[in-house]
Amino acid sequence: QVRVEESGGGSVQAGGSLRLSCTASGSGFSNNVMAWFRQAPGKQRESVADITVEGSRNYAESVRGRFTISRDNAKNTIYLQMNNLKPEDTAVYYCRVKVTSRGGIWLVDHWGQGTQVTVSS
C-alpha cells in the first residue's frame, strides 16, 4: 500500500510564488517516477513535471523556466517550486507516483488527493 500526500497549495497574485510538496509512504515503490499533474475546471488533467529517482526531469512547455521540480529520495518527497505564477496556472495540482519494475516496466500508479492553487490577476 502506497500513500501519497500533497501540501503547499494556496492563493497568490499573479507573479507570486508557491512551493508544493508531495510525500509518498508505504512500501514497494523503490523504482518510481514522481510527477505533478494539474487539472483546471472543465479541462483534462495534464502533466506539469516529473522526476526520476536519478534526478532526470521533464517539464511541460507551459511551465518551463518558471517551475522547478526536485526530490529528496531519503524522504520519498518531491517538490514543485512555482515562480512567476499566472492566472492560467490555477488548478488542482496532483502528485502521482508511477511504480515500475527494476527494468522500467510500468506496474501501477498511485495518486494523491490534490491541492488547490489559485492565481489571481
Side-chain angles (χ1 to χ4, degrees):
Q1 187 74 10
V2 177
R3 183 175 181 180
V4 181
E5 289 187 278
E6 306 101 335
S7 62
S11 297
V12 295
Q13 290 190 328
S17 299
L18 283 173
R19 188 192 195 210
L20 306 183
S21 299
C22 168
T23 298
S25 59
S27 62
F29 61 99
S30 57
N31 300 299
N32 66 77
V33 178
M34 294 183 72
W36 289 99
F37 284 70
R38 67 186 181 186
Q39 187 167 17
K43 295 188 176 181
Q44 289 191 331
R45 191 172 296 188
E46 62 176 2
S47 175
V48 175
D50 62 57
I51 185 168
T52 67
V53 172
E54 296 79 14
S56 177
R57 299 168 172 84
N58 289 294
Y59 294 96
E61 194 59 40
S62 59
V63 306
R64 194 183 305 274
R66 301 188 297 121
F67 291 10
T68 301
I69 190 170
S70 60
R71 70 185 288 164
D72 183 336
N73 288 331
K75 296 180 179 179
N76 292 319
T77 297
I78 64 169
Y79 307 94
L80 187 68
Q81 178 65 44
M82 304 185 293
N83 298 328
N84 190 22
L85 282 159
K86 303 176 180 180
E88 50 264 43
D89 294 318
T90 295
V92 177
Y93 283 69
Y94 296 92
C95 178
R96 184 194 72 180
V97 178
K98 182 174 77 173
V99 182
T100 68
S101 67
R102 189 174 297 180
I105 297 173
W106 175 83
L107 296 176
V108 64
D109 290 338
H110 299 283
W111 291 88
Q113 293 298 306
T115 185
Q116 177 70 45
V117 171
T118 302
V119 185
S120 57
S121 58

